[in-house]
Amino acid sequence: MAWSDEESLLESKQVQKPSLRRSISRHKRTICLVAIGYGILLFLIFMWRLASFDSPFSTFAATQEASEAYYDVDVLILGGGVAGVIAAEQLHKAGIDNFLIVEARDELGGRMHSYQLANYTVEVGCNWVQGTQTGPINPIYSLALKHGLANTTSNWEDLQFYDEKGHAGPDFKDAFDRAEEAYKTLITRAGERIDNHKVDLSARSGFSLTGWRPKDKYEEASEYYHFDWEWAQAPEQSSWIATSFNNNFTFDASRGGFSDKNVLSVDQKGFKHILQDEATTFLQPSNVLLSSTVTDVTYSNWGVAVKLASGVVLKAKYALVTFSVGVLQHPEDVKFVPAWPEWKQEAIDSMKMGTYTKIFLQWDEKFWDDNEMGLYADPYRRGYYPVWQSLDHPRFFPGSGMYVSAKNPAFVHYFVTITGDESERVEKLSDEQVIDEVMGVLKQMYPGKTIPRPKHMHFHRWYNDKLTRGAFSNWPASFYVEHQDNLRAPVKTLYFAGEHTSFEFYGYLQGAYLEGQKAGKAIAECVKKDGRRCPASRGKDFQNKNDYFPQWYKIQEVH
């Protein structure tokens, strides 16, 4: 299906000017005619300003018929990722097709983003369906089944341990097992903390209070594998309680989650195809505008005006913002007018955005071990190129474990994952500098082997990508449930959805799906009832519930 581009947009309709009628006295006719002429001029200027992007919708004073002609569509959906597409599907199911998805990339998918590396499709963004079905079914897994996603499972037990001297001894495996038990204890004790009405703390504090304090490189690398590799940030940056909720809602079927099983996409059409195939079941070309970057959004009680980088302005009654929280934290990327209420800005700035970087490498010949996974413990730096995965495994490269064609040589694939602060550091380096660092680690992992530089290398710089500003959200200890409510809450005619607005599934594709679904239903009710059934925004400032802080201000220091 060929989606629309900006050249296919209809020109905005002009708002018709209501007539002006006034009775005047004959002896003041001349003066009044001049005044009337001046008034008409001012009125025309007013209407011209109203039709321009810079005019606030709060000045909209035309008739209902004129206001209907003013809008291009009923709903603008800003972003063509999972939340945006699923919200559009809900509108369609409700009989509302006067909407437009505006997407900056040249395809739908958002952070379901793949890359063609030497004629092989690798997933630089989302890669796994995390939690399939034991209890309820993960909606992403439903899409995968419906649209025939080629997938496989990962064998987490097929793991080789490395340090700066090569293969590590049994001490590393023992540390790994202790870290796994420490993580399970962390999750369990968070529930006890909630039952006892205790405040949230960082996951690092949680680890310490439950007796886990990493003492050496093996314990640090093992903790990284169980925690950072999942949440894209360190325990110091993460909520103890929210992390535990997030884990249970996805992986623990006994607590209402999906399952502890993950499936990995190896589909050469890309993981994103399950969303794109779903979109083709209900979208028309006129519903999608690709390669169109939003630069400005003006909103009020009367509607929304969206300006694109091309200069095109789109107007709608409502808009759904599905930008990542990382983008919302960068006003230089997208400007919102008026500025957010304080409660909204606080919620946006209080959520964190993690960065998850997969560095894909290709060689002509394989030199590494046959294990599916590898874990490296650097002697000096925690999280320094720690988690390695082989893609020449038969389950990942179907058949021989390598890609072969008549026109191309055989390639074998290996990739390493880094996260958080280390990802942000690496993004500042050139590709050659990254390869130099990777080669330094590989020479320690495989001493005595002659390792050539890779033929190909690729990774996505998520943190510096202005369309994402990170990989996915992460809940910090200072983030309250009320912040989450405010993050989701609409502001006038703007609605919000994405994985970051999900309480249960922040950071996961299923969070984006379910939040898009909720937002689509809410906006559909608004449109069908002509604004009379729109949910009132519950966003507001909230008070600190810890009585210590108000009392602290009353304390006078005694010298």
Side-chain angles (χ1 to χ4, degrees):
M1 178 178 290
W3 307 120
S4 304
D5 58 22
E6 291 174 10
E7 294 179 355
S8 67
L9 286 176
L10 295 178
E11 296 181 356
S12 299
K13 298 179 181 179
Q14 295 295 321
V15 179
Q16 295 180 358
K17 178 183 64 178
S19 62
L20 178 63
R21 296 177 181 176
R22 301 189 64 176
S23 61
I24 60 175
S25 301
R26 182 177 300 173
H27 66 281
K28 295 182 178 179
R29 183 180 301 275
T30 302
I31 296 175
C32 287
L33 285 175
V34 173
I36 290 170
Y38 185 69
I40 291 174
L41 178 61
L42 290 177
F43 183 80
L44 290 174
I45 292 174
F46 167 79
M47 296 304 293
W48 174 77
R49 291 280 296 169
L50 180 62
S52 70
F53 174 77
D54 293 327
S55 300
F57 273 91
S58 58
T59 62
F60 201 123
T63 62
Q64 178 64 28
E65 290 79 13
S67 65
E68 289 296 329
Y70 185 80
Y71 301 108
D72 296 304
V73 291
D74 287 333
V75 184
L76 285 170
I77 299 175
L78 307 183
V82 173
V85 171
I86 299 305
E89 187 171 40
Q90 292 303 310
L91 291 174
H92 173 74
K93 288 180 178 179
I96 299 166
D97 289 304
N98 188 25
F99 62 81
L100 181 66
I101 298 175
V102 182
E103 168 57 39
R105 300 191 194 278
D106 60 2
E107 62 179 354
L108 297 176
R111 282 168 272 172
M112 298 179 80
H113 190 44
S114 57
Y115 181 82
Q116 202 74 14
L117 187 66
N119 294 324
Y120 189 83
T121 301
V122 294
E123 302 295 338
V124 295
C126 313
N127 212 148
W128 288 269
V129 178
Q130 294 181 289
T132 52
Q133 183 181 24
T134 297
I137 189 169
N138 184 331
I140 303 301
Y141 190 49
S142 292
L143 286 181
L145 295 175
K146 179 179 179 180
H147 298 293
L149 179 74
N151 66 84
T152 186
T153 57
S154 295
N155 182 3
W156 311 115
E157 303 299 322
D158 187 14
L159 177 64
Q160 176 64 53
F161 299 95
Y162 303 90
D163 60 19
E164 74 279 11
K165 297 179 181 179
H167 288 182
D171 289 348
F172 199 164
K173 178 63 167 62
D174 292 342
F176 184 85
D177 293 340
R178 291 194 300 273
E180 184 176 17
E181 289 304 312
Y183 180 75
K184 292 178 181 178
T185 301
L186 178 80
I187 301 302
T188 301
R189 292 285 292 275
E192 297 174 7
R193 194 167 188 84
I194 295 170
D195 291 340
N196 293 323
H197 304 285
K198 294 185 177 181
V199 298
D200 192 15
L201 299 171
S202 71
R204 172 59 65 214
S205 296
F207 272 131
S208 297
L209 288 172
T210 54
W212 170 257
R213 294 177 175 85
K215 299 180 293 295
D216 57 33
K217 62 187 179 184
Y218 295 148
E219 291 188 343
E220 287 182 346
S222 298
E223 179 191 79
Y224 179 98
Y225 180 93
H226 291 294
F227 194 95
D228 301 45
W229 193 43
E230 183 67 33
W231 312 110
Q233 286 192 311
E236 291 84 354
Q237 300 166 300
S238 308
S239 161
W240 181 4
I241 291 176
T243 295
S244 302
F245 269 136
N246 202 224
N247 177 88
N248 291 340
F249 283 132
T250 291
F251 298 115
D252 192 342
S254 69
R255 298 177 183 269
F258 302 122
S259 76
D260 59 358
K261 180 182 177 182
N262 300 325
V263 295
L264 177 73
S265 172
V266 291
D267 202 310
Q268 287 305 285
K269 292 183 290 184
F271 193 8
K272 62 197 174 191
H273 92 78
I274 64 173
L275 185 68
Q276 293 172 347
D277 288 355
E278 183 69 12
T280 61
T281 65
F282 67 93
L283 287 179
Q284 299 299 316
S286 59
N287 290 133
V288 182
L289 185 63
L290 299 176
S291 303
S292 302
T293 303
V294 173
T295 60
D296 301 82
V297 178
T298 297
Y299 65 96
S300 80
N301 291 325
W302 295 99
V304 183
V306 174
K307 186 178 181 180
L308 307 180
S310 64
V312 170
V313 177
L314 306 171
K315 302 182 181 73
K317 296 178 182 178
Y318 309 98
L320 175 62
V321 179
T322 69
F323 302 147
S324 75
V325 71
V327 170
L328 296 179
Q329 290 169 350
H330 286 76
E332 70 275 16
D333 294 340
V334 183
K335 181 180 179 182
F336 287 85
V337 178
W340 303 122
E342 185 175 354
W343 57 263
K344 189 71 172 182
Q345 190 65 59
E346 180 178 321
I348 290 170
D349 289 335
S350 296
M351 182 59 107
K352 299 303 178 186
M353 194 73 175
T355 306
Y356 194 99
T357 307
K358 292 178 286 184
I359 303 174
F360 292 89
L361 306 146
Q362 289 185 323
W363 284 268
D364 290 332
E365 296 181 0
K366 178 182 174 183
F367 60 84
W368 54 89
D369 295 320
D370 291 331
N371 303 86
E372 185 176 320
M373 307 282 296
L375 182 60
Y376 168 72
D378 189 81
Y380 306 110
R381 186 184 302 175
R382 182 184 182 278
Y384 188 74
Y385 301 101
V387 182
W388 293 78
Q389 293 172 267
S390 174
L391 287 180
D392 78 328
H393 197 283
R395 285 179 299 154
F396 301 147
F397 287 3
S400 67
M402 58 183 68
Y403 182 81
V404 183
S405 74
K407 296 182 179 179
N408 296 287
F411 289 108
V412 289
H413 305 68
Y414 209 15
F415 77 97
V416 59
T417 301
I418 53 177
T419 61
D421 295 342
E422 194 65 17
S423 287
E424 295 176 22
R425 180 192 70 82
V426 166
E427 284 194 17
K428 298 176 183 177
L429 304 179
S430 68
D431 284 1
E432 286 302 311
Q433 289 173 317
V434 174
I435 292 175
D436 288 341
E437 291 191 347
V438 167
M439 290 298 295
V441 171
L442 287 172
K443 289 176 180 178
Q444 291 184 333
M445 291 169 61
Y446 298 100
K449 285 192 175 183
T450 300
I451 303 175
R453 292 178 75 83
K455 290 287 187 179
H456 301 280
M457 186 275 290
H458 179 78
F459 67 98
H460 192 82
R461 289 173 165 82
W462 290 107
Y463 182 72
N464 286 294
D465 185 339
K466 292 184 178 181
L467 302 181
T468 59
R469 295 295 188 180
F472 49 83
S473 64
N474 184 47
W475 193 310
S478 58
F479 196 73
Y480 288 80
V481 174
E482 290 86 349
H483 281 133
Q484 184 72 11
D485 291 339
N486 287 346
L487 198 56
R488 181 191 293 115
V491 181
K492 297 183 179 178
T493 47
L494 285 184
Y495 289 76
F496 300 85
E499 50 83 12
H500 59 282
T501 66
S502 173
F503 173 77
E504 300 97 334
F505 306 111
Y506 67 88
Y508 290 112
L509 284 174
Q510 54 264 32
Y513 184 104
L514 294 171
E515 290 296 297
Q517 190 177 67
K518 292 175 186 176
K521 290 179 179 179
I523 296 172
E525 284 298 308
C526 265
V527 174
K528 287 194 296 184
K529 300 298 181 180
D530 199 22
R532 294 189 297 273
R533 291 285 297 275
C534 295
S537 177
R538 294 184 295 176
K540 60 182 180 179
D541 293 319
F542 58 92
Q543 300 298 316
N544 195 303
K545 296 180 181 180
N546 191 329
D547 292 335
Y548 170 78
F549 290 103
Q551 295 298 321
W552 182 84
Y553 285 105
K554 300 178 182 179
I555 297 175
Q556 293 183 357
E557 187 174 1
V558 178
H559 295 280

